[in-house]
Amino acid sequence: MRIVADQNIPLAQELFSEFGEVISLPGREITSQDIKQVDILLVRSVTKVGKHLLEGNSTIKFVGSCTIGIDHIDTDYLSEVGIAWANAPGCNANAVVQYVLSAMALATPDWLTKTIGIIGCGNVGGRLYQCLSALGVNCIAYDPLVNDADKKNTINFIELDTLLSQADIISCHVPLTTMGDYPSYHMLGAQELETIKDNTLLINSGRGAVIDNSALSQELDRRSKNGGHLSVVLDVWENEPIVNHKLLNKITVGSPHIAGYTIEGREQGTFMIYQALCRFLKQEPSANAHELLTNDTTSLNISSFVHSEKVGGSIKDGEIFNQLLLSCYDIVRDHKALCKVDNFDGLRKNYPARREYKHFLLPKTLTDKVIDSECSGQAINWFESIRAPLS
């Protein structure tokens, strides 16, 4: 077989070479010419796969997207012409939860006491809701696509307008859709953005066009002029890979669509597509395939705050917890990189190694410090509750 894979798919050669030749190409630049006489196409979210790419000159039998979303794939067309496809739902949910927690730790340090509204309770939003609820955080959610029969009593679903007006922090986790009863394109437009109360933190790590970026820029200007404030964290943008730098300069944090870009999340996405291809080809996965996934641990580097004074009390616990989260993933690094380098795809291609919480172990120095200071140790309990992946 001949396989074309986005060059940003980790372990592509290691996992798929058993099926044939693997050709790596820039995902955004894959053309119909590139996939002539190719059997398998492996992509990430930047490659649009549909009639324009496949019609007439393609021998593709299977399309695999090593990502959660499928808005870049015309699944109706693939089904129509008999091309099998698969995606990797939930593969990087833990990574995106990590991104959101770091965003809150930076922009709203007292986030543990706030009401957090989650728009979209699928693989990522649902995982975030579970994580926050386990920490004792008050959560509300909006997701009209969750059937009544599937709604769990543990999730507090409300209407969108109510969520926007009540939440102190709003995090968006919906796919991009333009059809159906609840299209998500510009779900948050001028009217919805104005509904959000002052001093709220708005985070979007789903799809850029869920928020009308032009309306958002105007809303930030309006609030600034009237003495109001809205904190914004954007990992995704309308018209990617083009970034609206005027908007970037107005927000708290901007990043180049890397919320899910942990080593573990990206490798898991590849592995899920590897398993799907094995099922399609009706063959057993290689016995050692799972061993290729990175699964090491290291002691967390907390030298910047381990020598602080007595850490007892709930406020100090919150500060310690925030510092633990930001020591695992410093979101400011990505913001500075995007502000400095106007190369969206280059930043993604050369993204530095980032690890999920399960990779990090708390050093004995911190646990000893907590014991010596007679602290409640709540920060450690919180961290351990999120270190292992949520089920």
Side-chain angles (χ1 to χ4, degrees), residues 14-32:
E14 292 87 340
L15 283 171
F16 293 97
S17 59
E18 68 177 79
F19 304 113
E21 178 188 9
V22 178
I23 304 164
S24 296
L25 297 172
R28 208 181 296 276
E29 300 174 15
I30 293 175
T31 67
S32 57

Side-chain angles (χ1 to χ4, degrees), residues 119-121 141-148 151 157-160 174 181-182 187:
I119 301 176
C121 268
Y142 169 75
D143 193 335
L145 299 182
V146 176
N147 296 325
D148 290 338
K151 289 183 177 179
F157 285 102
I158 61 176
E159 293 302 313
L160 180 60
V174 295
D181 294 333
Y182 301 97
M187 174 188 290

Side-chain angles (χ1 to χ4, degrees), residues 170-211:
I170 300 168
S171 193
C172 300
H173 301 282
V174 295
L176 182 61
T177 58
T178 57
M179 307 294 289
D181 294 333
Y182 301 97
S184 65
Y185 177 79
H186 285 186
M187 174 188 290
L188 300 188
Q191 180 177 340
E192 291 78 15
L193 292 169
E194 190 173 349
T195 302
I196 299 173
K197 62 185 181 182
D198 261 343
N199 300 312
T200 295
L201 170 61
L202 174 63
I203 306 169
N204 188 10
S205 55
R207 288 293 183 265
V210 168
I211 299 178

Side-chain angles (χ1 to χ4, degrees), residues 301-316:
N301 180 11
I302 55 167
S303 58
S304 63
F305 62 93
V306 72
H307 299 299
S308 60
E309 295 301 317
K310 186 174 180 177
V311 293
S314 60
I315 295 178
K316 286 294 184 180

Side-chain angles (χ1 to χ4, degrees), residues 54 61 116 139 163 167 181 217 252 254-255 292 321 323 334 375:
L54 301 174
K61 303 176 182 66
I116 299 178
C139 295
L163 183 149
D181 294 333
S217 184
T252 306
S255 51
L292 293 171
F321 188 41
Q323 291 180 78
D334 292 332
C375 174

Side-chain angles (χ1 to χ4, degrees), residues 220-247:
L220 292 174
D221 289 341
R222 184 189 71 82
R223 296 203 186 212
S224 178
K225 181 179 179 180
N226 296 329
H229 180 69
L230 179 66
S231 296
V232 179
V233 173
L234 297 179
D235 180 56
V236 288
W237 307 78
E238 279 197 271
N239 306 313
E240 292 178 9
I242 299 171
V243 172
N244 183 337
H245 281 268
K246 288 184 178 180
L247 177 58

